[in-house]
Amino acid sequence: MHNQLETLRQFISTSNYIVFFGGAGVSTESGIPDFRSVDGLYSQKYKYPPERIVSRSFFMSNTADYYDFHKARLLHMDAKPNPAHIKLAELEKIGKLKAVITQNIDGLHQSAGSVKVLELHGSVYRNFCMECGLNYEVKFISGSEGVPHCSCGGVIKPDVVLFEEALDDDVMVESIMHIKNADMLIIGGTSLGVYPAAGLLNYYRGSKLVLINKSETPWDERADLVINGSIGEVLNAIVL
Ligand code: OAD
């Protein structure tokens, strides 16, 4: 681990366009479970399989059940950024890191102070009426009984990308631009099994691809440095 941390430090000190690409593992140290670990959301038992609940067709047909899950399992409004979020925000502040690209919907990078955050799968902090488009704050959702409705009567939908839904074009285009420009790409806390998000990594052309993850990923072979560990601890060990 010592040598790996040293290499990570060297990579960072010789880079000026770092991009971070992350997933649910970045927030586990903030108390938010990931999806595919043994204690992740997809291993837990619910009335319906969680992978089905977080799909467009389920939202449309079983809206009340979707919201039971959403409010109980996807809203973590008391969670606080952990050392991984904080170090990434610091790297941006000193001008080394240009973008965080995240699959997370929890807003913790912004809470830590990151400014350029590209949310591939949306955010629970944005919600809109499916009829008239009016926006609603997350507190309106958490405080609602059952399915939240707009003043016009329409159903409110969280601005999160469910399975069967497309990712936002602008977010994709900007993410590709940053990954193409990056001289260092740090990937962390993601199983890299969900597309099209994971496919974005193919745009990286540099020679400092770092993977920080607790378990193996399909990209380990292609990485210039793999650190199997907790991302909060690893990033916290970097002194800027
Ligand atoms: P996963 O749950 O698939 O993967 C999380 C990864 O993070 C696993 O490989 C863990 O080993 C690792 N991990 C967990 N805690 C960690 C820690 N503290 N430090 C380092 N690594 C850690 O989550 P994602 O890859 O984000 O999409 O999943 C991608 C998408 O699948 C999600 O955005 C979500 C889900 O279905 C939608 O809901 C559309």
Side-chain angles (χ1 to χ4, degrees), residues 71-99:
K71 290 176 194 174
R73 302 291 162 186
L74 299 180
L75 288 188
H76 299 277
M77 289 154 65
D78 294 334
K80 299 274 178 292
N82 65 54
H85 300 105
I86 291 164
K87 188 64 62 162
L88 291 167
E90 287 171 5
L91 280 166
E92 183 184 26
K93 208 164 280 164
I94 62 170
K96 282 206 171 268
L97 184 138
K98 303 300 180 200

Side-chain angles (χ1 to χ4, degrees), residues 150-225:
C150 178
S151 48
C152 82
V155 170
I156 298 171
K157 184 180 178 294
D159 189 9
V160 298
V161 178
L162 301 172
F163 286 117
E164 302 155 11
E165 291 181 329
L167 278 64
D168 183 275
D169 276 344
D170 292 341
V171 174
M172 287 293 272
V173 167
E174 208 180 339
S175 299
I176 290 169
M177 185 273 289
H178 282 297
I179 292 175
K180 273 186 174 171
N181 286 340
D183 56 7
M184 176 175 183
L185 179 62
I186 308 177
I187 303 166
T190 170
S191 58
L192 295 176
V194 173
Y195 284 78
L200 290 173
L201 305 181
N202 286 308
Y203 288 97
Y204 179 61
R205 298 178 291 207
S207 56
K208 286 175 274 186
L209 194 153
V210 178
L211 245 165
I212 307 168
N213 212 58
K214 275 192 174 165
S215 54
E216 281 181 16
T217 79
W219 274 73
D220 288 11
E221 302 266 291
R222 293 166 75 168
D224 300 293
L225 172 66

Side-chain angles (χ1 to χ4, degrees), residues 6-66:
E6 199 37 54
T7 308
L8 179 59
R9 282 189 200 107
Q10 276 171 16
F11 278 4
I12 291 174
S13 74
T14 56
S15 301
N16 296 307
Y17 203 120
I18 303 173
V19 170
F20 179 79
F21 180 95
V26 175
S27 292
T28 53
E29 289 162 82
S30 295
I32 301 178
D34 66 11
F35 297 93
R36 295 175 183 80
S37 293
V38 280
D39 52 354
L41 278 186
Y42 291 166
S43 305
Q44 296 171 21
K45 291 271 170 283
Y46 299 100
K47 202 166 141 194
Y48 301 93
E51 298 92 319
R52 215 180 118 206
I53 299 177
V54 291
S55 68
R56 171 89 184 179
S57 48
F58 190 89
F59 180 86
M60 299 306 282
S61 59
N62 298 54
T63 316
D65 287 319
Y66 172 86

